[in-house]
């Protein structure tokens, strides 16, 4: 099911959580709403589910206006950040809840409900935990129960609010892969909210970057990472060196002119230049302008900190290349910018 | 000694512990146990038959009956009011919420006598609504309705006070989850909200009931002390005592005391029986 969001605005007191947001979620895709806290991503998700109503705008589910519909009539599955499992019910009853509360005429026979619930528990690999209570499960297990419960009502859309936020790093990674696999199997239109760029880039088909109630950019993970459309997206996604610069005649000068970048002829005035650490080329040179001030080698990557004309830069390269350069702290070096992006103010 | 070294380093010396426990026990014995024993001793001073006679005497029976009636109305009323109020406070944000919380606490901070007097000023013969009520033949003050009103007022905070923190802590995510899963508001209440608060609710009701039956001040003002008609048990005890009828006074008092004991035992039994579930419902 496709979701069409147009002109959605939501105000909490004097705080504008969403400012005329337009978004299309394509049928069957896994979409990430990515942004820092307070960017409005959770509010947008809750509006889709019907847990919050916008002040203006429209929301269409499969081409039909949905803002007038109650949550129960929207056929959405919602996974809460802290799971919101019914604490007084067993895992089985949690998953069965959505099937048991249906009006009598639409309700499945209890044997059928049982079969469905057990099937879902097998799907989330919790078949043996049916009689446990939520308090007796680990975080990752609770998360999967919440997912099974949301899927039990056969929703057309799955909405997940910070689905991995409360888990430790290792479980988070495992569950992320598992969710991606699950989505590839069942192809349910899914939207998840996250503040973790790595999570969004790894898991989603498309990423929506949000800031201050507005959408900054929509695109595939590669698009938003390689071609950020705004200064905000550049800073929010991945590591980046940020320099103040002055642009004139197609050249951006950083600092006192120790570094320069060729830019578009039309740009002019003061601006900000962004350079990813792996787009900085470093080479040892006895009389180079830069000085290596720190070296961190972790796993396959090496991070080199450089002082240059009062600026501090961070470069990244693979370990083998770093070893071949044979640099130590205090060495002089040259710095070359392979790729950069300049935004004028 | 090495095995105990850490334990003794962290805890107080033995004599200190014993002293504290002894102080607590002596205090309990002096202020709780001794009066309780005294009540029963006084009540049974002339033997079991005198005790029994004092209880089955017509006015005493009427007082017991009236007390039960008042509690039977006030407690369910406060159950509903308390739940509604805590639902409002815990699950919604609105202007004047703090004022509402303060108002809920008001009966605790106002002297019960004043709460009784308010009703006299409102509904009494010379009160604000007195003439209207009189012309319609409705009597509230010096009658059962007044007793019920005063009792409801005085015992209002018990259920709400117990539930508000509990519901605030639980938040409304589970209710939202139920709604998204297709439950109606009614189903959400019965299947999700109520099971989550049932223990707190039960505590509140037990405390509310104990106070409803034992309330003296507010009830005393609105009752008019008409024997056999508007006397609840605590008022009856006072009248008997003032008439130097000590055995009867303490006999009726002993029934009230037993009521308190039953409440305590019920509470403890529930905690013991459902302790695990109780702990589970308080933690996620």
């Amino acid at each position: 099911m496709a979701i069409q969001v147009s002109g959605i605005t939501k105000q909490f007191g004097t705080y504008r959580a969403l400012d005329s947001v337009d978004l299309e979620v394509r049928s069957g895709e896994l979409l990430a709403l990515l942004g820092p806290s307070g960017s409005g991503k959770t509010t947008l998700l809750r509006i889709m589910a019907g847990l919050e109503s916008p002040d203006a705008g429209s929301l269409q589910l499969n081409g039909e206006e949905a803002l007038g519909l109650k949550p129960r009539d929207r056929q959405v599955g919602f996974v809460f950040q802290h799971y919101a499992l019914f604490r007084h019910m067993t895992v089985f009853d949690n998953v069965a809840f959505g099937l048991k509360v249906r009006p009598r005429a639409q309700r499945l026979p209890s044997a059928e409900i049982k079969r469905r619930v057990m099937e879902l528990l097998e799907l989330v690999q919790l078949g043996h935990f049916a009689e446990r209570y939520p308090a007796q499960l680990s975080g990752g297990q609770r998360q999967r129960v919440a997912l099974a419960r949301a899927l039990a009502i056969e929703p057309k859309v799955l909405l997940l609010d910070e689905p991995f936020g409360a888990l430790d790093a290792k479980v988070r990674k495992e569950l992320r892969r598992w969710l991606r696999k699950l989505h590839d199997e069942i192809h349910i239109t899914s939207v998840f909210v996250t503040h973790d760029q790595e999570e969004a880039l790894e898991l989603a088909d498309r990423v929506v970057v949000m800031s201050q109630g507005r959408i900054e950019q929509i695109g595939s993970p590669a698009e938003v990472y390689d071609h950020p459309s705004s200064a905000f997206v550049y800073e929010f996604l991945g590591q980046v060196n940020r320099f103040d610069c002055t642009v004139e005649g197609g050249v951006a000068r950083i600092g006192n002119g120790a570094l320069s970048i060729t830019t578009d002829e039309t740009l002019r005035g003061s601006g900000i230049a962004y350079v990813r650490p792996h787009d900085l080329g470093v080479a040892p040179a006895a009389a180079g302008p830069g000085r290596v001030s720190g070296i961190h080698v972790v796993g396959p990557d090496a991070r080199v900190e450089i002082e240059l004309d009062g600026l501090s830069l961070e470069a990244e390269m693979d370990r083998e290349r770093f070893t071949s350069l044979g640099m130590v702290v205090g060495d002089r070096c040259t710095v070359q910018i392979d790729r950069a992006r300049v935004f004028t103010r | 000694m090495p095995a105990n070294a850490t334990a003794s380093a962290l805890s107080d010396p033995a004599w200190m512990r014993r002293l504290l426990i002894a102080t607590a026990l002596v205090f309990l014995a002096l202020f709780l146990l001794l009066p309780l024993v005294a009540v029963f001793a006084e009540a049974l001073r002339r033997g079991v038959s005198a005790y029994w006679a004092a209880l089955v005497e017509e006015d005493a029976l009427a007082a017991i009956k009236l007390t039960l009636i008042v509690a039977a109305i006030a407690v369910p009323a406060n159950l509903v009011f308390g739940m509604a109020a805590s639902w409002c406070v815990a699950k919604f944000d609105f202007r004047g919420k703090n004022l509402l919380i303060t108002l809920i606490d008001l009966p605790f901070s106002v002297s019960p006598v004043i709460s009784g007097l308010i009703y006299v000023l409102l509904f009494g013969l010379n009160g604000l609504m007195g003439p209207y009520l009189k012309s319609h033949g409705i009597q509230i003050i010096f009658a059962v309705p007044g007793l019920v009103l005063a009792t409801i007022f005085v015992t209002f905070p018990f259920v709400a006070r117990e539930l508000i923190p509990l519901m605030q802590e639980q938040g409304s995510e589970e209710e939202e989850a139920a709604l998204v899963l297709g439950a109606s508001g009614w189903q959400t209440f019965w299947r999700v909200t109520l099971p989550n608060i049932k223990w707190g609710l039960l505590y509140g009701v037990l405390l509310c009931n104990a106070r409803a039956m034992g309330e003296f001040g507010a009830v005393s003002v609105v009752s008019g002390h008409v024997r056999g008609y508007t006397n609840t048990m605590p008022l009856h005890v006072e009248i008997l005592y003032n008439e130097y009828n000590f055995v009867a006074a303490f006999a009726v008092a002993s029934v009230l005391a037993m009521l308190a004991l039953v409440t305590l035992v019920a509470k403890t039994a529930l905690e013991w029986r459902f302790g695990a579930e109780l702990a589970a419902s308080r933690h996620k």
Side-chain angles (χ1 to χ4, degrees), chain A residues 46 49 51 71-72 76-78 80-89 97-98 100-101 135 142 149-150 153, chain B residues 169-171 173-185 187-188 191-192 195-196 277 280-284:
Chain A
R46 288 172 61 86
L51 293 171
R72 56 186 301 201
V76 298
F78 199 101
F80 291 82
Q81 185 176 5
H82 301 289
Y83 323 126
L85 295 177
F86 305 128
R87 65 193 93 189
H88 63 282
M89 293 184 201
F97 184 87
K100 285 185 178 168
V101 295
R142 285 182 213 176
R149 184 178 69 174
I153 57 168
Chain B
E169 186 204 311
Q170 292 180 346
E173 271 205 341
E174 285 182 48
E175 277 83 6
E176 288 181 343
L179 290 176
V180 175
L181 286 168
S184 64
Q187 282 173 321
T188 303
R191 286 167 182 255
V192 177
N196 275 345
E277 205 181 320
S281 77
R282 296 223 176 212
H283 300 109
K284 273 219 175 168

Side-chain angles (χ1 to χ4, degrees), chain B residues 259-282:
Chain B
L259 210 107
L261 288 178
V262 168
T263 306
L264 262 182
V265 169
K267 191 172 164 236
T268 314
L270 284 168
E271 272 173 1
W272 176 73
R273 170 76 179 74
F274 296 104
E277 205 181 320
L278 195 67
S281 77
R282 296 223 176 212

Side-chain angles (χ1 to χ4, degrees), chain A residues 203-276:
Chain A
L203 193 55
D205 295 321
R206 287 198 305 151
V207 177
V208 177
V209 185
M210 297 186 68
S211 161
Q212 299 181 340
R214 289 167 178 277
I215 291 178
E216 292 278 337
Q217 188 173 7
I218 306 176
S220 70
E223 274 165 22
V224 294
Y225 186 84
D226 293 334
H227 306 287
S229 67
S230 68
F232 171 82
V233 180
Y234 231 121
E235 281 192 49
F236 191 67
L237 285 184
Q239 293 292 319
V240 73
N241 290 296
R242 178 186 193 275
F243 307 112
D244 289 324
C245 60
T246 43
V247 192
E248 215 182 338
V251 179
R253 291 183 189 283
I254 296 167
N256 302 326
L259 287 170
S260 60
I261 305 161
T262 49
T263 65
D264 205 310
E265 292 280 349
T266 56
L267 295 178
R268 198 160 294 275
S270 72
I272 301 167
Y274 292 100
V275 185
R276 298 266 189 225

Side-chain angles (χ1 to χ4, degrees), chain A residues 277-305:
Chain A
H278 52 74
D279 290 332
L280 269 184
V282 182
R291 196 184 72 89
V292 176
S293 61
I295 291 171
H296 307 272
V297 184
V298 179
D301 298 318
R303 240 172 61 225
V304 183
E305 286 165 18

Side-chain angles (χ1 to χ4, degrees), chain A residues 28-250:
Chain A
E29 78 174 335
L30 179 51
L31 184 92
L33 296 178
L34 172 66
S37 58
S39 59
K41 52 197 193 309
T42 294
T43 308
L44 184 57
L45 196 78
R46 288 172 61 86
I47 286 174
M48 290 182 189
L51 293 171
E52 212 84 65
S53 51
D55 302 327
S58 83
L59 171 75
Q60 291 184 340
L61 298 177
N62 242 7
E64 283 174 38
E65 184 54 49
L67 279 186
L69 295 179
K70 290 194 172 124
R72 56 186 301 201
D73 298 321
R74 294 192 188 192
Q75 290 185 289
V76 298
F78 199 101
V79 177
F80 291 82
Q81 185 176 5
H82 301 289
Y83 323 126
L85 295 177
F86 305 128
R87 65 193 93 189
H88 63 282
M89 293 184 201
T90 61
V91 166
F92 182 94
D93 289 329
N94 262 282
V95 178
F97 184 87
L99 299 172
K100 285 185 178 168
V101 295
R102 283 185 185 167
R104 203 172 290 276
Q106 298 165 29
R107 205 180 305 156
L108 299 167
S110 65
E112 177 63 17
I113 291 182
K114 182 162 189 215
R115 197 189 60 75
R116 279 265 290 276
V117 171
M118 289 317 291
E119 205 177 276
L120 278 162
L121 286 179
E122 290 302 330
L123 180 74
V124 298
Q125 299 156 357
L126 286 171
H128 299 299
F129 295 85
E131 297 310 315
R132 298 266 188 105
Y133 283 90
Q136 299 166 313
L137 300 179
S138 72
Q141 290 168 334
R142 285 182 213 176
Q143 174 63 280
R144 285 180 298 175
V145 174
L147 199 62
R149 184 178 69 174
L151 290 173
I153 57 168
E154 298 186 305
K156 298 287 192 309
V157 182
L158 190 59
L159 306 172
L160 307 107
D161 186 8
E162 296 274 3
F164 314 109
L167 301 171
D168 59 63
K170 188 165 173 290
V171 179
R172 193 183 305 183
K173 233 169 192 154
E174 278 171 19
L175 212 51
R176 204 191 285 170
R177 298 225 171 90
W178 178 81
L179 182 71
R180 181 67 237 187
K181 215 174 107 231
L182 185 78
H183 183 264
D184 291 341
E185 281 167 24
I186 60 179
H187 283 297
I188 180 173
T189 309
S190 310
V191 180
F192 73 98
V193 156
T194 180
H195 63 268
D196 180 345
Q197 34 120 351
E198 192 189 323
E199 195 170 290
L201 296 177
E202 182 181 321
L203 193 55
D205 295 321
R206 287 198 305 151
V207 177
V208 177
V209 185
M210 297 186 68
S211 161
Q212 299 181 340
R214 289 167 178 277
I215 291 178
E216 292 278 337
Q217 188 173 7
I218 306 176
S220 70
E223 274 165 22
V224 294
Y225 186 84
D226 293 334
H227 306 287
S229 67
S230 68
F232 171 82
V233 180
Y234 231 121
E235 281 192 49
F236 191 67
L237 285 184
Q239 293 292 319
V240 73
N241 290 296
R242 178 186 193 275
F243 307 112
D244 289 324
C245 60
T246 43
V247 192
E248 215 182 338

Side-chain angles (χ1 to χ4, degrees), chain B residues 68-186:
Chain B
L68 292 177
I69 290 174
V70 169
I73 301 172
V75 172
N78 273 337
L79 175 80
V80 175
F81 293 161
M83 235 160 30
S86 5
W87 180 281
C88 273
V89 168
K91 313 261 167 175
F92 299 103
D93 271 317
F94 51 90
R95 227 178 261 261
K97 184 160 148 174
N98 284 328
L99 184 70
L100 182 68
I101 296 176
T102 314
L103 285 178
I104 288 172
D105 274 342
L106 192 67
F108 274 177
S109 49
V110 166
S111 155
V113 177
I114 310 253
S115 6
L117 268 177
I118 293 165
Y119 284 102
V120 174
L121 289 174
L122 263 181
F123 303 122
L125 207 53
N126 301 316
L128 214 56
M129 298 173 70
Y132 173 85
L133 291 172
K134 192 175 184 230
S135 65
H136 287 77
I138 304 168
Q139 192 174 11
I140 289 182
I141 300 305
F142 307 142
V144 178
L147 294 173
V148 171
L149 280 177
T151 306
I152 288 179
F153 179 82
V154 171
T155 57
F156 180 76
F158 284 99
V159 173
R161 274 282 109 190
E162 196 69 37
L163 290 187
I164 288 172
L166 185 63
M167 287 172 110
Q168 272 176 335
E169 186 204 311
Q170 292 180 346
S172 41
E173 271 205 341
E174 285 182 48
E175 277 83 6
E176 288 181 343
L179 290 176
V180 175
L181 286 168
S184 64
W186 198 237

Side-chain angles (χ1 to χ4, degrees), chain B residues 3-79:
Chain B
N4 282 335
T6 45
S8 58
L10 289 175
S11 60
D12 298 315
W15 64 266
M16 172 80 99
R17 260 180 292 153
R18 284 196 201 110
L19 183 71
L20 285 172
I21 292 171
T23 313
L25 285 180
V26 168
F27 188 84
L28 273 178
L30 270 179
F31 287 88
L32 285 174
L33 215 54
L34 198 63
L36 193 65
V37 172
V39 167
F40 283 93
E42 280 295 323
L44 291 165
R45 203 216 287 267
R46 302 250 170 81
V48 177
S49 59
Y51 175 80
W52 187 247
L55 287 185
V56 297
E57 183 255 341
E58 205 180 328
D59 289 346
L61 276 183
I64 293 173
K65 200 174 140 203
L66 184 61
T67 301
L68 292 177
I69 290 174
V70 169
I73 301 172
V75 172
N78 273 337
L79 175 80

